[in-house]
């Protein structure tokens, strides 16, 4: 697979995640995987049978890698929204108190993950549609992350808004003629991949241990 994606997928959480540093690492890793898979799979589908020739070009490889890294902060917003949905049974905690405590844990881990995912100066300068587009998307992601906890969690179908899918489309290493009329397909691609993230979180996040660790911090 491209860009070490196979290694990332093999490294997705296979053991219980029960402390804050591990949760931050999982959020960052899952965001990278989401960005790489969504961009790579959509681009291959949209280009069609000629994709191996395009992907073999050094300039396109550089643009694709830049797009994947630059999209990771926006992917983190969606991964965090999904993390808020992770199911658990916490004895003695009512639903509101439970959600508030879990949100504090996720918010702290997300802040650390966001620092790890910040695009480098080279990526901001080399974006497919120019550094300005990448910089605007990165700033938008930071604002969305701050707002992610302002309302109750929404369902998976609402994890990516149409406006956010349009922002993501601007970061793809394709001419806008390929993407302007295809943003709902991009949104559906992201939502399908986020369903996998939700399954992994449900299996591997120990919310009780993470909440307790957050209280001790």
């Amino acid at each position: 697979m491209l860009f070490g994606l196979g290694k990332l997928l093999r490294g997705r959480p296979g053991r219980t995640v029960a402390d804050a540093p591990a949760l931050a690492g999982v959020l960052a890793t899952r965001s990278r995987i989401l960005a790489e898979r969504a961009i790579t799979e959509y681009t291959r589908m949209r280009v069609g049978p000629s994709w191996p020739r395009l992907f073999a070009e050094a300039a396109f490889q550089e643009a694709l890698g830049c797009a994947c890294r630059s999209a990771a902060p926006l992917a983190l917003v969606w991964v965090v929204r999904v993390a808020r949905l992770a199911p658990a049974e916490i004895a003695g905690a009512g639903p509101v108190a439970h959600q508030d405590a879990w949100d504090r844990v996720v918010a702290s881990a997300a802040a650390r993950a966001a620092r790890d995912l910040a695009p480098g100066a080279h990526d901001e300068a080399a974006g497919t549609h120019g550094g300005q587009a990448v910089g605007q998307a990165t700033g938008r992601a930071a604002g969305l992350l701050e707002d992610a906890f302002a309302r109750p969690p929404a369902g998976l179908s609402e994890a990516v808004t149409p406006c956010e899918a349009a922002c993501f489309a601007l970061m793809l290493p394709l001419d806008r003629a390929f993407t302007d009329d295809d943003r709902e397909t991009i949104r559906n691609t992201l939502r399908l991949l986020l369903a996998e993230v939700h399954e992994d979180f449900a299996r591997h996040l120990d919310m009780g241990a993470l909440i307790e660790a957050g209280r001790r911090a």
Side-chain angles (χ1 to χ4, degrees):
M1 293 187 184
L2 297 169
F3 307 112
L5 185 54
K7 180 178 179 181
L8 279 175
L9 287 172
R10 289 192 298 272
R12 66 186 179 183
R15 292 176 294 187
T16 301
V17 177
D19 61 73
L23 179 58
V26 166
L27 294 179
T29 297
R30 262 319 195 168
S31 300
R32 292 187 184 99
I33 291 172
L34 176 62
E36 290 195 16
R37 286 189 65 189
I39 289 174
T40 301
E41 292 176 11
Y42 175 81
T43 300
R44 287 173 59 175
M45 179 275 295
R46 196 67 180 85
V47 171
S50 64
W51 74 262
R53 185 169 65 253
L54 178 64
F55 276 54
E57 296 177 4
F60 186 78
Q61 286 280 328
E62 181 177 359
L64 190 57
C66 173
C68 291
R69 292 188 299 274
S70 299
L74 188 55
L76 176 63
V77 174
W78 304 324
V79 169
V80 165
R81 288 177 183 160
V82 171
R84 297 184 69 208
L85 299 172
E89 294 292 335
I90 307 297
V96 175
H98 175 177
Q99 187 67 54
D100 288 348
W102 178 238
D103 280 352
R104 287 192 292 273
V105 170
V106 176
S108 177
R112 179 180 295 190
R115 292 192 293 270
D116 292 341
L117 294 174
H122 172 75
D123 292 333
E124 292 184 0
T128 303
H129 299 292
Q132 183 178 5
V134 173
Q136 288 175 347
T138 302
R140 179 175 177 80
L144 288 170
L145 193 59
E146 289 181 3
D147 293 340
F149 302 91
R151 57 188 59 85
L156 273 174
S157 64
E158 303 303 319
V160 182
T161 70
C163 184
E164 292 161 5
C167 183
F168 185 80
L170 292 175
M171 306 180 80
L172 291 165
L174 295 169
D175 189 275
R176 289 179 62 176
F178 282 91
T179 61
D180 277 350
D181 296 328
D182 210 18
R183 291 175 181 176
E184 191 60 24
T185 299
I186 295 169
R187 186 183 181 208
N188 288 334
T189 298
L190 290 163
R191 289 190 289 193
L192 285 171
L193 294 173
L194 285 167
E196 297 180 14
V197 175
H198 183 263
E199 291 176 5
D200 272 351
F201 285 174
R203 285 196 300 267
H204 301 302
L205 298 188
D206 186 337
M207 294 177 66
L210 285 161
I211 288 173
E212 184 58 32
R215 287 172 177 155
R216 293 197 305 266

